[in-house]
Amino acid sequence: MTAPLRRWVTPVLAVLAAFAIVAGPAPATAAPSSPTPSGHAPEDDEDPLITEAIADANRGYIRAKAQLEKSKKRQLQLALEVRAAQAQLDALSPQVSAIAAQSYRTGRMGAMTMLLESHSPDSFVRRAALLDELNMVNAQKLAEVNAAKNRAEQAKIALDAEVREQQKQANTMAREKAETEKALKLVGGLGFTGGLVSATSPVARIGPGRTADGDWKPESCSENDPTTSGCVTPRTLHAYKEVKRAGFNRFVGCYRPGGPWEHPKGRACDWSLQKSGFSPWHNNDMRMYGNNVAAFLIRNADRLGIYYVIWNRQIWFPATGWKSYSGPSNHTDHVHMSLL
């Protein structure tokens, strides 16, 4: 094969080899996940409700799904472009084969040799014209194929990046769904709270007496109760301070003498919905305050050593979650917390 011919054929063969890569299997798109509620706070609200966080997450899911569909359409367009470019290469391939075969039969024949073998001026001119025309045609076709290949490569690179981003978004939405379903379950769900509960709670400091294996050491009623003249355990006092530190500053009572359960042991407190005394909730403010106190205690149960929480005719244990509750008090006027 002559040097000029080699210079022309080699790029074409390189293009053919490159298309074996470019026209390979298209990247798989991530299947859209199910609609995904979110526990994350919208940027324009420092203390969003659960319902607002869910709506924000669903909007994000819809956007991600639309972008995934757009990616699929772009993949189809890319496949058509690759096939069109491959068709150009297929049309060019017979010419490459013919030239290669001629070179094999005649040996290393360059352009000058081809022209010098002309037997007349007219033959020389015709050969020169044909050689020039062939080079122009082939150069034009090769330029078109290279351009198509470059377009396909760039589109594929961009599409791969976009699909990876959409897969990331879909995975994020799936995680948000799982996290918020867990959060909803913790606070009792939308039916229990009416959606009137913050999507997040402050993180409490770990209470005293927690062992390395997560258990809690027994404690006696050894600390002065800040709400009465009685006593509370160190862990109850710690939980009391953490609830206050989280911003819940309405009326609260802890120690109560006599009777069963945790109050006379200094291991319980009742968080009222109003600044003094107790009254059942009868507006959204009171209901949301009770919801948020309960949510804070439950979200930090492992850090505070919560035994159980009672609120609004429901009782929560770490092992069982929320269950219906009926007792001497229906607890619609306060949130009860008991400590281990």
Side-chain angles (χ1 to χ4, degrees), residues 185-186 188 298 306-309 314-324:
K185 187 176 181 180
L186 278 178
I298 291 167
I306 297 295
Y307 177 19
Y308 61 85
V309 174
Q314 300 283 322
I315 185 170
W316 182 90
F317 285 96
T320 62
W322 286 103
K323 301 292 182 182
S324 178

Side-chain angles (χ1 to χ4, degrees), residues 182 186 202-217 235 238-239 242 294-309 316-319 338-340:
K182 180 180 178 181
L186 278 178
V203 177
R205 292 175 290 203
I206 297 175
R210 191 168 78 168
T211 63
D213 60 1
D215 197 4
W216 296 89
K217 297 178 181 178
R235 193 152 46 244
H238 172 82
E242 287 301 288
F296 171 79
L297 294 172
I298 291 167
R299 287 167 177 160
N300 289 285
D302 292 341
R303 303 178 71 84
L304 297 175
I306 297 295
Y307 177 19
Y308 61 85
V309 174
W316 182 90
F317 285 96
S338 282
L339 282 295
L340 291 169

